[in-house]
Structures are given as C-alpha cells and as structure tokens.
Amino acid sequence: MAPTNFRTLLIVAAAALTALFILSSSTRHVASNAAHAASIPSIPSIPSIPSIPSLDLNVPSTFHWRTSAHKPPVQKNSTSGEASWYSDWRWLNPFSSSLTLDEERIVLPPLPERPYIYTYLDTTVKRDKQTQEVDKEIIATWRRAWWAKGFRPVVLTQAEAMAHPLYPSLKPKGMPHALEVEFSRWLAWSHMGTGLLADLYCLPMGAYDDALLIHLRRGQFAQLTRFEAIGSGLFAGEKSHIDSAVQDALNDARLSSFNSITDAVKSSLFRVEQPTSIAYYDSGTLQKRYSAIANAILVDPVKGRRHLNKLMISHLHIVWQNTFSSGIEVLKPLPAHTTALVEPSLHLAQLLAECPETLLPSSCPPNNPKCTPCVGSKMRITHPEAFRNASSLYTIATVPHPYTMITLNNQTSDVTIKHIRRNTDRDRWIHSVTRDVLGDGRGAPSRVIALKDAVASEFGRARSLWFTVEHFPPNIAVDITADRVPTNDVEERPVDKTPFPENWLEDIDWHFGFLIPRTTVSHGESMNPVPLPERWSKGQQGVPADKKKSYDPADPTENQQKVEAQLLKKARDAINSKDKQLRLMRDVAEKWNLADLEAWRFVRAFRAQSVMERDVFEEEESAYAGTNGARKGRWW
Ligand SMILES: *[C@@H]1O[C@H](CO)[C@@H](O)[C@H](O)[C@H]1NC(C)=O
Ligand SMILES: *[C@@H]1O[C@H](CO)[C@@H](O)[C@H](O)[C@H]1NC(C)=O
Ligand SMILES: *[C@@H]1O[C@H](CO)[C@@H](O)[C@H](O)[C@H]1NC(C)=O
C-alpha cells in the first residue's frame, strides 16, 4: 500500500473512531463514567474506553466494522483460583469488563519493574549446621526487606564469581583473604551485570516512597556509586562500570596492600551519595551503637547473630510504625453488622502494632537515631467507616462480596430476590468507604476509580492492604470470634496466639518487609527486659490498651458476633456454591451492586497478583542459593 493511501486510511479511521466515541458517549452510562473519571484530581487523564457499541453505524462497508471484538490474550501467570487479571496501564477505569470483554477478568496496573539487588555469600568457608541456620534466617531478613521495598533480591555465591573470566586471575595475585572475597563478590556482581550490590547486613530502612529508595528503584546509574560512611555496605552501577573498575583494580601493582575494595578501586571512579534510608549493621556500628549485641556475638557467634537478626527485624518494624505515625485504620463501613467481618483485619492490625521482640527494645536503626521506639508509644488502631487518604495513616480493609453484605445486613441468609431489589440500596459498601474522599454526590463509577486508586496506585499500595473476605484463610473470622474469651483477669487472660496460618502470614511478612509478631501480647521471654505492666495503660488493668480500644461499646454482643460469623461462613460457601438457587441469589446480588462487585473482584485480583508475583520469583530462585529450603530449593 502506498504511504499516502495508508495515511488517508489512518485519517479516516481516526475520524470514524472519534465519531464512534462521541456517539457512544451520548449513551448515559459512558457519559457519566467519563465525567467522573475527569473530575477526580491528580489521576492521569486516561482515555475513557467506550463500551462496545451495538449501534448500527453508517460506516463504509469496506471497514468491516464489527460489533464483537477479540478478548485481549491471556497473560502469563495471570490467574489464581477464581481470580484472573489483565495487566494494562488503562487499569484506572471503573469497569474492567469494558477492556477485557470478560466479566471475571480484572484490569490491574502492570507490576512495577523490580531492579536487581545482589548479595554475596562466601561459600568457601565451612559452616556447621547451627551457623547455616542463622545464615538462613539473616538471608531471609535481607530478602524480605528488599523485596518489600520493590527490589528483586538475589543471593550470589562463588558459583557466579567463578563464571567470570577474570576469576582465575584472583588467586595468583596473592591478596589477603578478605580482599580476595571482596573481589569474588564483585566478580559475581559483574557476572550478573547492572544492579545493586549489598552486604547481607545492609537493609533499606525507610518508607517505601523514600527519595533514595525511589532513586535506587529507577535503576539508572550514570556512574559507579557508593554511599558515604557505609564502606562496602552498598554499591550501585552498570555492568560496564563494574567491569572496568575490577579490571583496573586488579592491574594495580599495589593490590595486595589494600584493605578493602573501596581502597582498591580508584576513588575517581566512584560517585558518593548519602545513605539516608540505608542501614548498615557492620561490626563497627555494632560496637559503637549496639554493644550488647556485639558482645553477644563475641561470646557466642550463633546466638549473637540471632540477636542481631532480631534487632534488624525490630528496626524494620519500628521504622514502619514510625512512618505511619497517625496509626492504623481498620475500615468498618456499615458498622451495624460487620464486627465479625472486620475481625481478621483488626487482628492483623494488632499484630502490626505490637512491639517487636529484641534485646534492645528502645534502640533505633543506625541511619535514624531519632526514631520513636515502640515501647511506651504504641500505634493507635481505629476503625472508621470511610477510607481516609492521609500519608501518615495505614489502612487495612476487608471487602465483602455483595451477597455477603446483604445477608449480614439482613441478619439471616434467607433473603429473597424481591427483598434485594425492593429494600436494599445499591453499592452501599463502596459508597460508605469512599464518602470521605468523594462526599455524597458522586456516582458509582467515580467511587470505583477512587477505590482502585486507594488500593493499587503507587501512593495507595504503600499505605494500605486490602483483602476480600475470601482472602483471609477460611473460617478465620469464626475462629477468632469463637476463641476470644473477654476477661478482666491478667492471670487468666490467654496469650492471643494468632489463628492465621503460617504460610498466609509469610506472604504478609513479605508485603511489609519484616517478620510480624505472631502473638498480640508478646510475653517477655527472658530476653525482653520491658516489664509487662508498663505496656498497659493505667485504669484499664488487665487488658492491654489496644485490646480495650477494639471493644467498642456500640459493638454487638458476643452472641450477635457469633451469628455474624456463621453468616459469613455461609455466605462464603454460597459464593463458591454450584447450587442453582444460591447462584441465582448471588447473581442478583452482583447485578444489583455492580460497583461493590467490581471493588471486590479488583481487590481479590490485586492480592492474588501480588502473591503470584512472589511465587513466581521463589520458583525462579529455588534453584539457587538463599531461598527457603521448604520451597524445594537447595541451600547451597
Ligand atoms: C508461571 O508461568 C509459567 C509458564 O507459564 C509456569 O511454568 C509457572 O508454573 C507459573 N508459576 C506459577 C506460580 O503459577
Ligand atoms: C430480611 O429479608 C426479608 C425478606 O427476604 C425481609 O422480610 C426482612 O425485612 C429483612 N430484614 C432486614 C433486617 O432487612
Ligand atoms: C490520595 O492522595 C494522593 C496524594 O495526595 C493522591 O495521589 C491519590 O490520588 C489520592 N487517592 C484518593 C483515593 O483520593
């Protein structure tokens, strides 16, 4: 086809599309979507997708314009259980099916690129079993922390170093052993190429959207970079820089007189940046700031390093708590009958508000000596009805399926179709949740957009965690409600051991980047010097302050909560049921609450995608060092 003809065709096609768009916009539904999409501030203007028109347009017949269209192809690793999704930059649209042409497939934002960060494990020294165990725990801390901040943490060993062509030239240089290990580390890094190289004791210690972490995630380094005052803690660079720096250093005649690689590499090759949100627990720092740990390591390396691991985890946790200084909000829209519904979120919030266990509970991370330790200033937990969009608040929310919401409101599972249509308001859940950000005047489509933004935008995902009722492990709400025996007696009050299954919690650990405490009242083992009563506020003897807060006088009685929990369980079964009558009820509930349904499906798919992302990562890494043996990977 001649270029001019092609251009004409393009112009005609563009004109036809415009006409189509204008025509379809005049149908009420799409027009309101577009108007709402446009009226939400600071959301990038995304072209509204016209629903596939069934209008008989007078388009020239040569166009073969059809009313049906291909569904977008299914992407790799994009289904999990009932959830399926499609990653596309046009995700911030009210209804996914207008893009996927599939009721069930939800459009999610594309997963952000995760830049590589490497650490090196010197596998040439022999380790006993106990040492290996501690190594494993520390590696897990390192991987989890960097993963949660948006990186792709990979553990390298001698295997990668040996794959580098310069490796054979290391030994003949006669360097001190420590320096040789450092060079091996750099060769392994260089073999992998562009990325970050971190020490195992170097952790990201700041908010997800901290400026330095954003810069590091961008993954572009004009020059080899090191960080002020943390020595070999962290480097960044591109393959060509790394290669030439190593080459250069190895050719230096004074090589064996250097103590470290930062001496060996010409300082002019480095650009030096401030390690604002990077914490490095090297031996110097330990001696200076955490001498109890340094001494413990001297006395018993295995035990001491285990204490160090706990200290690092506690600092990651404290920094998270400090980031959300206004506390945790557990959303409880439509509070009358949703106590059991929010119970698991509340429980998770309580675990997050716990003070982490460590030898030095009032210490701060090395890069942030002015932090507010958890002891004496516990996080606030509240349960408002609406989502509040504030950067210092963390939100945890559970989204019910519309059918679940209807049965909870009715307090029985014997609802009729007539009752749903006549007596229930549409999309009550999402209306209530978005009331604070949007007020009362907006329609459902703009509420869905606001909710998706809160769940999945760069800003939102760092500040909130959303589940569907189904995403909590089965019957968790029932378990929690059944087990809790309110008591005013300190002695008799049982330790609230979490009913969350371990593998479920592990996903949450990776989401936050630190091990979440497993009990809500961490009873001090011998190593926790904080006297317990200090953690409880006066006048509420016997029940920890945070527990007390969760008992709202307006809350339903224990008995009512049991009813709710039973209804929840029934609804969960009904949603997955094949029974004809139940399916019909569910369909009616869904059609009646399209916005609530979209929110529920979106949240389900978003969580599933994030779990899947890690599963795929662990699967890929399982053949290499540093992954959890339980996932059938080899250790090294
Ligand atoms: C992801 O997709 C690949 C290729 O389709 C498949 O081999 C792998 O098992 C999937 N991973 C998960 C966790 O589903
Ligand atoms: C529950 O539903 C039934 C009909 O299905 C209706 O008669 C009753 O009023 C509803 N109860 C509430 C509290 O909404
Ligand atoms: C919340 O605030 C951030 C930053 O001000 C903004 O980008 C985002 O769109 C807001 N989200 C909602 C749901 O209003």
Side-chain angles (χ1 to χ4, degrees), residues 291-606:
S291 55
I293 306 274
N295 292 339
I297 293 177
L298 276 183
V299 174
D300 179 346
V302 167
K303 249 183 153 169
R305 286 168 70 226
R306 194 158 274 144
H307 280 311
L308 171 56
N309 191 34
K310 282 196 169 177
L311 181 80
M312 296 191 296
I313 293 172
S314 80
H315 288 167
L316 288 162
H317 191 163
I318 289 168
V319 164
W320 179 85
Q321 291 182 336
N322 283 190
T323 303
F324 300 103
S325 53
S326 308
I328 307 175
E329 293 200 333
V330 174
L331 292 196
K332 193 178 180 185
L334 320 177
H337 305 297
T338 52
T339 302
L341 185 83
V342 301
E343 192 75 40
S345 311
L346 190 58
H347 184 71
L348 179 59
Q350 283 163 350
L351 293 179
L352 284 163
E354 274 300 315
C355 295
E357 223 178 70
T358 162
L359 263 188
L360 305 170
S362 48
S363 67
C364 283
N367 64 319
N368 182 5
K370 293 217 176 86
C371 80
T372 311
C374 178
V375 279
S377 106
K378 270 198 138 186
M379 272 182 117
R380 232 162 60 94
I381 301 176
T382 50
H383 19 80
E385 293 184 32
F387 168 73
R388 290 200 296 145
N389 195 22
S391 64
S392 60
L393 274 176
Y394 197 86
T395 301
I396 301 179
T398 325
V399 191
H401 185 276
Y403 175 79
T404 310
M405 206 63 238
I406 288 170
T407 59
L408 280 179
N409 274 328
N410 192 273
Q411 290 286 286
T412 76
S413 53
D414 308 321
V415 275
T416 57
I417 291 175
K418 208 166 102 191
H419 170 71
I420 296 179
R421 293 224 177 107
R422 296 247 170 104
N423 303 324
T424 66
D425 294 330
R426 290 181 167 216
D427 299 318
R428 272 185 70 193
W429 184 86
I430 202 165
H431 192 103
S432 173
V433 167
T434 55
R435 181 172 281 154
D436 191 74
V437 279
L438 291 182
D440 273 321
R442 302 293 193 79
S446 57
R447 296 191 185 276
V448 178
I449 291 181
L451 183 104
K452 288 182 176 181
D453 182 276
V455 173
S457 68
E458 182 101 6
F459 184 86
R461 68 170 77 195
R463 289 177 176 74
S464 64
L465 189 54
W466 302 69
F467 302 93
T468 57
V469 175
E470 286 67 25
H471 252 102
F472 278 111
N475 301 337
I476 197 91
V478 183
D479 290 351
I480 292 178
T481 314
D483 286 355
R484 205 178 51 190
V485 190
T487 165
N488 288 328
D489 189 338
V490 192
E491 306 308 322
E492 278 181 21
R493 200 175 165 283
V495 178
D496 270 352
K497 223 178 163 41
T498 173
F500 294 135
E502 188 55 32
N503 63 354
W504 184 85
L505 267 176
E506 192 189 307
D507 277 325
I508 307 298
D509 291 336
W510 276 64
H511 174 85
F512 286 102
F514 49 83
L515 268 186
I516 296 166
R518 268 31 177 182
T519 53
T520 41
V521 180
S522 43
H523 273 252
E525 291 169 22
S526 52
M527 45 172 291
N528 189 348
V530 190
L532 279 173
E534 206 186 295
R535 302 146 53 94
W536 299 344
S537 62
K538 289 192 196 95
Q540 294 192 341
Q541 286 287 314
V543 179
D546 57 314
K547 263 280 156 163
K548 196 85 184 178
K549 242 179 272 153
S550 73
Y551 279 109
D552 196 338
D555 272 3
T557 62
E558 195 85 349
N559 203 22
Q560 266 172 298
Q561 276 194 51
K562 282 241 167 75
V563 172
E564 280 178 23
Q566 296 304 335
L567 280 173
L568 265 183
K569 183 169 159 16
K570 264 194 169 162
R572 195 199 310 265
D573 295 342
I575 287 160
N576 298 316
S577 169
K578 298 261 184 291
D579 178 85
K580 242 178 151 183
Q581 186 57 30
L582 285 177
R583 288 200 89 108
L584 180 67
M585 289 300 301
R586 189 197 66 185
D587 285 351
V588 170
E590 290 185 348
K591 298 262 152 49
W592 194 247
N593 296 285
L594 284 176
D596 278 5
L597 177 66
E598 179 83 6
W600 181 81
R601 285 195 175 137
F602 185 83
V603 165
R604 179 178 69 169
F606 188 70

Side-chain angles (χ1 to χ4, degrees), residues 185-206:
R185 187 172 168 239
W186 273 57
L187 289 185
W189 181 26
S190 155
H191 168 73
M192 299 304 289
T194 304
L196 299 160
L197 178 67
D199 192 273
L200 199 48
Y201 299 97
C202 180
L203 299 172
M205 200 64 78

